[in-house]
PDB file of all heavy atoms in Angstrom:
ATOM      1  N   PHE A  13      -9.936  17.705   2.403  1.00 93.00           N
ATOM      2  CA  PHE A  13      -9.068  16.614   2.826  1.00 93.00           C
ATOM      3  C   PHE A  13      -7.702  17.178   3.194  1.00 93.00           C
ATOM      4  O   PHE A  13      -7.156  18.017   2.470  1.00 93.00           O
ATOM      5  CB  PHE A  13      -8.921  15.581   1.701  1.00 93.00           C
ATOM      6  CG  PHE A  13      -7.915  14.502   1.995  1.00 93.00           C
ATOM      7  CD1 PHE A  13      -8.043  13.703   3.126  1.00 93.00           C
ATOM      8  CD2 PHE A  13      -6.842  14.277   1.150  1.00 93.00           C
ATOM      9  CE1 PHE A  13      -7.117  12.711   3.405  1.00 93.00           C
ATOM     10  CE2 PHE A  13      -5.918  13.284   1.415  1.00 93.00           C
ATOM     11  CZ  PHE A  13      -6.050  12.501   2.547  1.00 93.00           C
ATOM     12  N   VAL A  14      -7.150  16.724   4.333  1.00 95.00           N
ATOM     13  CA  VAL A  14      -5.852  17.192   4.815  1.00 95.00           C
ATOM     14  C   VAL A  14      -4.938  15.985   4.943  1.00 95.00           C
ATOM     15  O   VAL A  14      -5.320  14.965   5.514  1.00 95.00           O
ATOM     16  CB  VAL A  14      -5.999  17.913   6.178  1.00 95.00           C
ATOM     17  CG1 VAL A  14      -4.640  18.391   6.668  1.00 95.00           C
ATOM     18  CG2 VAL A  14      -6.961  19.079   6.060  1.00 95.00           C
ATOM     19  N   HIS A  15      -3.712  16.119   4.415  1.00 96.00           N
ATOM     20  CA  HIS A  15      -2.791  14.969   4.364  1.00 96.00           C
ATOM     21  C   HIS A  15      -1.364  15.429   4.695  1.00 96.00           C
ATOM     22  O   HIS A  15      -0.527  15.602   3.815  1.00 96.00           O
ATOM     23  CB  HIS A  15      -2.842  14.341   2.965  1.00 96.00           C
ATOM     24  CG  HIS A  15      -2.040  13.087   2.826  1.00 96.00           C
ATOM     25  ND1 HIS A  15      -1.517  12.673   1.607  1.00 96.00           N
ATOM     26  CD2 HIS A  15      -1.665  12.142   3.736  1.00 96.00           C
ATOM     27  CE1 HIS A  15      -0.866  11.550   1.770  1.00 96.00           C
ATOM     28  NE2 HIS A  15      -0.932  11.195   3.051  1.00 96.00           N
ATOM     29  N   PRO A  16      -1.069  15.634   5.987  1.00 97.00           N
ATOM     30  CA  PRO A  16       0.274  16.082   6.361  1.00 97.00           C
ATOM     31  C   PRO A  16       1.221  14.919   6.656  1.00 97.00           C
ATOM     32  O   PRO A  16       0.803  13.837   7.087  1.00 97.00           O
ATOM     33  CB  PRO A  16       0.006  16.901   7.633  1.00 97.00           C
ATOM     34  CG  PRO A  16      -1.194  16.253   8.234  1.00 97.00           C
ATOM     35  CD  PRO A  16      -2.004  15.663   7.121  1.00 97.00           C
ATOM     36  N   LEU A  83      -4.927   1.342   1.482  1.00 97.00           N
ATOM     37  CA  LEU A  83      -5.880   2.385   1.103  1.00 97.00           C
ATOM     38  C   LEU A  83      -7.321   1.951   1.343  1.00 97.00           C
ATOM     39  O   LEU A  83      -8.133   2.718   1.871  1.00 97.00           O
ATOM     40  CB  LEU A  83      -5.674   2.771  -0.362  1.00 97.00           C
ATOM     41  CG  LEU A  83      -6.549   3.903  -0.894  1.00 97.00           C
ATOM     42  CD1 LEU A  83      -6.409   5.152  -0.049  1.00 97.00           C
ATOM     43  CD2 LEU A  83      -6.190   4.197  -2.349  1.00 97.00           C
ATOM     44  N   THR A 118       5.102   4.261  -1.332  1.00 98.00           N
ATOM     45  CA  THR A 118       5.153   5.635  -1.835  1.00 98.00           C
ATOM     46  C   THR A 118       4.033   5.877  -2.842  1.00 98.00           C
ATOM     47  O   THR A 118       3.378   6.936  -2.823  1.00 98.00           O
ATOM     48  CB  THR A 118       6.519   5.904  -2.490  1.00 98.00           C
ATOM     49  OG1 THR A 118       7.552   5.763  -1.503  1.00 98.00           O
ATOM     50  CG2 THR A 118       6.587   7.297  -3.100  1.00 98.00           C
ATOM     51  N   ARG A 119       3.800   4.887  -3.700  1.00 97.00           N
ATOM     52  CA  ARG A 119       2.682   5.001  -4.634  1.00 97.00           C
ATOM     53  C   ARG A 119       1.364   5.138  -3.865  1.00 97.00           C
ATOM     54  O   ARG A 119       0.497   5.943  -4.224  1.00 97.00           O
ATOM     55  CB  ARG A 119       2.646   3.763  -5.540  1.00 97.00           C
ATOM     56  CG  ARG A 119       1.735   3.906  -6.760  1.00 97.00           C
ATOM     57  CD  ARG A 119       1.507   2.569  -7.437  1.00 97.00           C
ATOM     58  NE  ARG A 119       2.707   1.899  -7.846  1.00 97.00           N
ATOM     59  CZ  ARG A 119       3.292   2.037  -9.033  1.00 97.00           C
ATOM     60  NH1 ARG A 119       2.772   2.867  -9.923  1.00 97.00           N
ATOM     61  NH2 ARG A 119       4.377   1.338  -9.343  1.00 97.00           N
ATOM     62  N   HIS A 120       1.228   4.342  -2.816  1.00 97.00           N
ATOM     63  CA  HIS A 120       0.031   4.434  -1.962  1.00 97.00           C
ATOM     64  C   HIS A 120      -0.135   5.838  -1.396  1.00 97.00           C
ATOM     65  O   HIS A 120      -1.247   6.397  -1.408  1.00 97.00           O
ATOM     66  CB  HIS A 120       0.140   3.412  -0.817  1.00 97.00           C
ATOM     67  CG  HIS A 120      -0.627   3.785   0.405  1.00 97.00           C
ATOM     68  ND1 HIS A 120      -1.997   3.633   0.513  1.00 97.00           N
ATOM     69  CD2 HIS A 120      -0.215   4.336   1.589  1.00 97.00           C
ATOM     70  CE1 HIS A 120      -2.393   4.074   1.692  1.00 97.00           C
ATOM     71  NE2 HIS A 120      -1.338   4.500   2.372  1.00 97.00           N
ATOM     72  N   GLU A 121       0.948   6.424  -0.887  1.00 98.00           N
ATOM     73  CA  GLU A 121       0.869   7.760  -0.296  1.00 98.00           C
ATOM     74  C   GLU A 121       0.385   8.788  -1.317  1.00 98.00           C
ATOM     75  O   GLU A 121      -0.377   9.702  -0.990  1.00 98.00           O
ATOM     76  CB  GLU A 121       2.233   8.167   0.263  1.00 98.00           C
ATOM     77  CG  GLU A 121       2.631   7.459   1.549  1.00 98.00           C
ATOM     78  CD  GLU A 121       1.988   8.085   2.771  1.00 98.00           C
ATOM     79  OE1 GLU A 121       0.742   8.172   2.809  1.00 98.00           O
ATOM     80  OE2 GLU A 121       2.730   8.487   3.686  1.00 98.00           O
ATOM     81  N   ALA A 122       0.847   8.654  -2.556  1.00 98.00           N
ATOM     82  CA  ALA A 122       0.394   9.575  -3.596  1.00 98.00           C
ATOM     83  C   ALA A 122      -1.090   9.378  -3.905  1.00 98.00           C
ATOM     84  O   ALA A 122      -1.849  10.344  -4.053  1.00 98.00           O
ATOM     85  CB  ALA A 122       1.234   9.387  -4.855  1.00 98.00           C
ATOM     86  N   LEU A 123      -1.516   8.113  -3.983  1.00 97.00           N
ATOM     87  CA  LEU A 123      -2.888   7.816  -4.374  1.00 97.00           C
ATOM     88  C   LEU A 123      -3.905   8.167  -3.297  1.00 97.00           C
ATOM     89  O   LEU A 123      -5.092   8.331  -3.593  1.00 97.00           O
ATOM     90  CB  LEU A 123      -3.007   6.339  -4.761  1.00 97.00           C
ATOM     91  CG  LEU A 123      -2.278   5.945  -6.048  1.00 97.00           C
ATOM     92  CD1 LEU A 123      -2.323   4.441  -6.245  1.00 97.00           C
ATOM     93  CD2 LEU A 123      -2.878   6.666  -7.257  1.00 97.00           C
ATOM     94  N   ILE A 124      -3.465   8.290  -2.035  1.00 97.00           N
ATOM     95  CA  ILE A 124      -4.374   8.754  -0.985  1.00 97.00           C
ATOM     96  C   ILE A 124      -5.001  10.087  -1.380  1.00 97.00           C
ATOM     97  O   ILE A 124      -6.191  10.330  -1.172  1.00 97.00           O
ATOM     98  CB  ILE A 124      -3.618   8.914   0.355  1.00 97.00           C
ATOM     99  CG1 ILE A 124      -3.379   7.556   1.007  1.00 97.00           C
ATOM    100  CG2 ILE A 124      -4.411   9.796   1.325  1.00 97.00           C
ATOM    101  CD1 ILE A 124      -2.644   7.647   2.329  1.00 97.00           C
ATOM    102  N   ASN A 125      -4.194  10.955  -1.972  1.00 95.00           N
ATOM    103  CA  ASN A 125      -4.686  12.293  -2.335  1.00 95.00           C
ATOM    104  C   ASN A 125      -5.787  12.223  -3.387  1.00 95.00           C
ATOM    105  O   ASN A 125      -6.683  13.071  -3.406  1.00 95.00           O
ATOM    106  CB  ASN A 125      -3.517  13.138  -2.846  1.00 95.00           C
ATOM    107  CG  ASN A 125      -2.439  13.316  -1.800  1.00 95.00           C
ATOM    108  OD1 ASN A 125      -2.683  13.804  -0.711  1.00 95.00           O
ATOM    109  ND2 ASN A 125      -1.227  12.878  -2.110  1.00 95.00           N
ATOM    110  N   THR A 126      -5.732  11.218  -4.241  1.00 95.00           N
ATOM    111  CA  THR A 126      -6.787  11.021  -5.240  1.00 95.00           C
ATOM    112  C   THR A 126      -8.000  10.347  -4.624  1.00 95.00           C
ATOM    113  O   THR A 126      -9.137  10.778  -4.831  1.00 95.00           O
ATOM    114  CB  THR A 126      -6.249  10.159  -6.400  1.00 95.00           C
ATOM    115  OG1 THR A 126      -5.137  10.804  -7.013  1.00 95.00           O
ATOM    116  CG2 THR A 126      -7.327   9.900  -7.438  1.00 95.00           C
ATOM    117  N   ALA A 127      -7.746   9.312  -3.841  1.00 95.00           N
ATOM    118  CA  ALA A 127      -8.843   8.506  -3.302  1.00 95.00           C
ATOM    119  C   ALA A 127      -9.722   9.280  -2.322  1.00 95.00           C
ATOM    120  O   ALA A 127     -10.926   9.022  -2.234  1.00 95.00           O
ATOM    121  CB  ALA A 127      -8.277   7.265  -2.628  1.00 95.00           C
ATOM    122  N   PHE A 128      -9.137  10.225  -1.570  1.00 94.00           N
ATOM    123  CA  PHE A 128      -9.895  10.951  -0.558  1.00 94.00           C
ATOM    124  C   PHE A 128     -10.368  12.318  -1.033  1.00 94.00           C
ATOM    125  O   PHE A 128     -10.883  13.094  -0.220  1.00 94.00           O
ATOM    126  CB  PHE A 128      -9.061  11.102   0.716  1.00 94.00           C
ATOM    127  CG  PHE A 128      -9.164   9.930   1.649  1.00 94.00           C
ATOM    128  CD1 PHE A 128      -8.338   8.826   1.496  1.00 94.00           C
ATOM    129  CD2 PHE A 128     -10.095   9.917   2.681  1.00 94.00           C
ATOM    130  CE1 PHE A 128      -8.427   7.743   2.347  1.00 94.00           C
ATOM    131  CE2 PHE A 128     -10.199   8.840   3.541  1.00 94.00           C
ATOM    132  CZ  PHE A 128      -9.356   7.741   3.378  1.00 94.00           C
ATOM    133  N   THR A 129     -10.216  12.613  -2.302  1.00 90.00           N
ATOM    134  CA  THR A 129     -10.722  13.888  -2.812  1.00 90.00           C
ATOM    135  C   THR A 129     -12.214  14.017  -2.517  1.00 90.00           C
ATOM    136  O   THR A 129     -13.000  13.111  -2.804  1.00 90.00           O
ATOM    137  CB  THR A 129     -10.485  13.988  -4.333  1.00 90.00           C
ATOM    138  OG1 THR A 129      -9.084  13.963  -4.591  1.00 90.00           O
ATOM    139  CG2 THR A 129     -11.079  15.272  -4.892  1.00 90.00           C
ATOM    140  N   GLY A 130     -12.589  15.130  -1.911  1.00 87.00           N
ATOM    141  CA  GLY A 130     -13.995  15.359  -1.596  1.00 87.00           C
ATOM    142  C   GLY A 130     -14.458  14.732  -0.304  1.00 87.00           C
ATOM    143  O   GLY A 130     -15.649  14.817   0.034  1.00 87.00           O
ATOM    144  N   ARG A 131     -13.527  14.132   0.449  1.00 89.00           N
ATOM    145  CA  ARG A 131     -13.904  13.476   1.713  1.00 89.00           C
ATOM    146  C   ARG A 131     -13.352  14.282   2.879  1.00 89.00           C
ATOM    147  O   ARG A 131     -12.148  14.530   2.939  1.00 89.00           O
ATOM    148  CB  ARG A 131     -13.330  12.061   1.740  1.00 89.00           C
ATOM    149  CG  ARG A 131     -13.657  11.271   3.017  1.00 89.00           C
ATOM    150  CD  ARG A 131     -15.138  10.923   3.054  1.00 89.00           C
ATOM    151  NE  ARG A 131     -15.484  10.060   4.178  1.00 89.00           N
ATOM    152  CZ  ARG A 131     -15.809  10.491   5.402  1.00 89.00           C
ATOM    153  NH1 ARG A 131     -15.770  11.784   5.674  1.00 89.00           N
ATOM    154  NH2 ARG A 131     -16.164   9.642   6.340  1.00 89.00           N
ATOM    155  N   VAL A 135      -5.477  12.656   7.315  1.00 97.00           N
ATOM    156  CA  VAL A 135      -4.617  11.472   7.409  1.00 97.00           C
ATOM    157  C   VAL A 135      -3.202  11.955   7.710  1.00 97.00           C
ATOM    158  O   VAL A 135      -2.546  12.564   6.857  1.00 97.00           O
ATOM    159  CB  VAL A 135      -4.644  10.637   6.113  1.00 97.00           C
ATOM    160  CG1 VAL A 135      -3.716   9.423   6.252  1.00 97.00           C
ATOM    161  CG2 VAL A 135      -6.064  10.169   5.806  1.00 97.00           C
ATOM    162  N   ALA A 152       8.385  11.681   0.519  1.00 98.00           N
ATOM    163  CA  ALA A 152       7.319  12.107   1.438  1.00 98.00           C
ATOM    164  C   ALA A 152       6.949  13.564   1.199  1.00 98.00           C
ATOM    165  O   ALA A 152       5.779  13.948   1.311  1.00 98.00           O
ATOM    166  CB  ALA A 152       7.759  11.898   2.883  1.00 98.00           C
ATOM    167  N   ARG A 154       7.017  14.969  -1.625  1.00 98.00           N
ATOM    168  CA  ARG A 154       6.295  15.021  -2.902  1.00 98.00           C
ATOM    169  C   ARG A 154       4.867  14.506  -2.779  1.00 98.00           C
ATOM    170  O   ARG A 154       4.011  14.876  -3.590  1.00 98.00           O
ATOM    171  CB  ARG A 154       7.036  14.194  -3.959  1.00 98.00           C
ATOM    172  CG  ARG A 154       8.460  14.658  -4.239  1.00 98.00           C
ATOM    173  CD  ARG A 154       9.108  13.751  -5.288  1.00 98.00           C
ATOM    174  NE  ARG A 154       8.507  13.966  -6.596  1.00 98.00           N
ATOM    175  CZ  ARG A 154       8.263  12.998  -7.478  1.00 98.00           C
ATOM    176  NH1 ARG A 154       8.527  11.746  -7.172  1.00 98.00           N
ATOM    177  NH2 ARG A 154       7.734  13.284  -8.651  1.00 98.00           N
ATOM    178  N   THR A 155       4.601  13.645  -1.804  1.00 98.00           N
ATOM    179  CA  THR A 155       3.281  13.026  -1.705  1.00 98.00           C
ATOM    180  C   THR A 155       2.384  13.666  -0.644  1.00 98.00           C
ATOM    181  O   THR A 155       1.216  13.287  -0.524  1.00 98.00           O
ATOM    182  CB  THR A 155       3.420  11.521  -1.380  1.00 98.00           C
ATOM    183  OG1 THR A 155       4.209  11.352  -0.199  1.00 98.00           O
ATOM    184  CG2 THR A 155       4.091  10.785  -2.533  1.00 98.00           C
ATOM    185  N   HIS A 156       2.914  14.629   0.116  1.00 98.00           N
ATOM    186  CA  HIS A 156       2.119  15.274   1.160  1.00 98.00           C
ATOM    187  C   HIS A 156       2.068  16.785   0.930  1.00 98.00           C
ATOM    188  O   HIS A 156       3.117  17.431   0.848  1.00 98.00           O
ATOM    189  CB  HIS A 156       2.702  14.975   2.542  1.00 98.00           C
ATOM    190  CG  HIS A 156       2.626  13.531   2.904  1.00 98.00           C
ATOM    191  ND1 HIS A 156       3.533  12.605   2.432  1.00 98.00           N
ATOM    192  CD2 HIS A 156       1.745  12.855   3.684  1.00 98.00           C
ATOM    193  CE1 HIS A 156       3.208  11.400   2.913  1.00 98.00           C
ATOM    194  NE2 HIS A 156       2.137  11.532   3.649  1.00 98.00           N
ATOM    195  N   PRO A 157       0.890  17.358   0.833  1.00 96.00           N
ATOM    196  CA  PRO A 157       0.783  18.809   0.610  1.00 96.00           C
ATOM    197  C   PRO A 157       1.334  19.633   1.772  1.00 96.00           C
ATOM    198  O   PRO A 157       1.740  20.774   1.584  1.00 96.00           O
ATOM    199  CB  PRO A 157      -0.726  19.033   0.456  1.00 96.00           C
ATOM    200  CG  PRO A 157      -1.308  17.681   0.197  1.00 96.00           C
ATOM    201  CD  PRO A 157      -0.416  16.690   0.868  1.00 96.00           C
ATOM    202  N   THR A 158       1.329  19.023   2.970  1.00 96.00           N
ATOM    203  CA  THR A 158       1.732  19.741   4.180  1.00 96.00           C
ATOM    204  C   THR A 158       2.780  18.933   4.936  1.00 96.00           C
ATOM    205  O   THR A 158       2.695  17.704   5.011  1.00 96.00           O
ATOM    206  CB  THR A 158       0.518  19.981   5.098  1.00 96.00           C
ATOM    207  OG1 THR A 158      -0.493  20.678   4.358  1.00 96.00           O
ATOM    208  CG2 THR A 158       0.898  20.796   6.316  1.00 96.00           C
ATOM    209  N   TYR A 171       5.550  19.188  -3.231  1.00 98.00           N
ATOM    210  CA  TYR A 171       4.340  18.384  -3.455  1.00 98.00           C
ATOM    211  C   TYR A 171       3.956  18.395  -4.932  1.00 98.00           C
ATOM    212  O   TYR A 171       3.972  19.432  -5.595  1.00 98.00           O
ATOM    213  CB  TYR A 171       3.185  18.930  -2.617  1.00 98.00           C
ATOM    214  CG  TYR A 171       1.872  18.244  -2.890  1.00 98.00           C
ATOM    215  CD1 TYR A 171       1.674  16.918  -2.535  1.00 98.00           C
ATOM    216  CD2 TYR A 171       0.838  18.933  -3.533  1.00 98.00           C
ATOM    217  CE1 TYR A 171       0.468  16.285  -2.787  1.00 98.00           C
ATOM    218  CE2 TYR A 171      -0.375  18.302  -3.786  1.00 98.00           C
ATOM    219  CZ  TYR A 171      -0.547  16.976  -3.413  1.00 98.00           C
ATOM    220  OH  TYR A 171      -1.734  16.352  -3.681  1.00 98.00           O
ATOM    221  N   THR A 172       3.593  17.204  -5.444  1.00 97.00           N
ATOM    222  CA  THR A 172       3.197  17.091  -6.845  1.00 97.00           C
ATOM    223  C   THR A 172       2.017  16.134  -6.963  1.00 97.00           C
ATOM    224  O   THR A 172       1.630  15.480  -5.992  1.00 97.00           O
ATOM    225  CB  THR A 172       4.370  16.625  -7.721  1.00 97.00           C
ATOM    226  OG1 THR A 172       4.018  16.744  -9.097  1.00 97.00           O
ATOM    227  CG2 THR A 172       4.750  15.179  -7.413  1.00 97.00           C
ATOM    228  N   ASP A 173       1.434  16.046  -8.156  1.00 94.00           N
ATOM    229  CA  ASP A 173       0.207  15.265  -8.306  1.00 94.00           C
ATOM    230  C   ASP A 173       0.494  13.772  -8.310  1.00 94.00           C
ATOM    231  O   ASP A 173       1.600  13.317  -8.599  1.00 94.00           O
ATOM    232  CB  ASP A 173      -0.527  15.666  -9.587  1.00 94.00           C
ATOM    233  CG  ASP A 173       0.270  15.341 -10.828  1.00 94.00           C
ATOM    234  OD1 ASP A 173       1.095  16.179 -11.230  1.00 94.00           O
ATOM    235  OD2 ASP A 173       0.092  14.237 -11.372  1.00 94.00           O
ATOM    236  N   ALA A 174      -0.538  12.984  -8.001  1.00 94.00           N
ATOM    237  CA  ALA A 174      -0.394  11.542  -7.837  1.00 94.00           C
ATOM    238  C   ALA A 174       0.041  10.854  -9.121  1.00 94.00           C
ATOM    239  O   ALA A 174       0.815   9.885  -9.081  1.00 94.00           O
ATOM    240  CB  ALA A 174      -1.715  10.948  -7.346  1.00 94.00           C
ATOM    241  N   VAL A 177       3.839  11.057  -9.488  1.00 96.00           N
ATOM    242  CA  VAL A 177       4.543  10.189  -8.543  1.00 96.00           C
ATOM    243  C   VAL A 177       4.392   8.732  -8.956  1.00 96.00           C
ATOM    244  O   VAL A 177       5.360   7.961  -8.931  1.00 96.00           O
ATOM    245  CB  VAL A 177       4.018  10.401  -7.114  1.00 96.00           C
ATOM    246  CG1 VAL A 177       4.665   9.403  -6.148  1.00 96.00           C
ATOM    247  CG2 VAL A 177       4.289  11.824  -6.648  1.00 96.00           C
ATOM    248  N   LEU A 273      -6.182   3.441  -9.200  1.00 92.00           N
ATOM    249  CA  LEU A 273      -6.723   2.980  -7.928  1.00 92.00           C
ATOM    250  C   LEU A 273      -7.293   1.562  -8.016  1.00 92.00           C
ATOM    251  O   LEU A 273      -7.703   0.997  -6.994  1.00 92.00           O
ATOM    252  CB  LEU A 273      -7.816   3.923  -7.437  1.00 92.00           C
ATOM    253  CG  LEU A 273      -7.350   5.319  -7.011  1.00 92.00           C
ATOM    254  CD1 LEU A 273      -8.553   6.220  -6.757  1.00 92.00           C
ATOM    255  CD2 LEU A 273      -6.484   5.244  -5.769  1.00 92.00           C
TER     256      LEU A 273
END
Side-chain angles (χ1 to χ4, degrees):
F13 173 57
V14 180
H15 185 207
L83 183 55
T118 298
R119 193 192 303 270
H120 154 78
E121 286 279 57
L123 292 173
I124 283 180
N125 299 303
T126 300
F128 274 86
T129 297
R131 180 70 174 87
V135 179
R154 300 179 70 218
T155 55
H156 295 80
T158 304
Y171 174 68
T172 190
D173 64 273
V177 175
L273 292 171

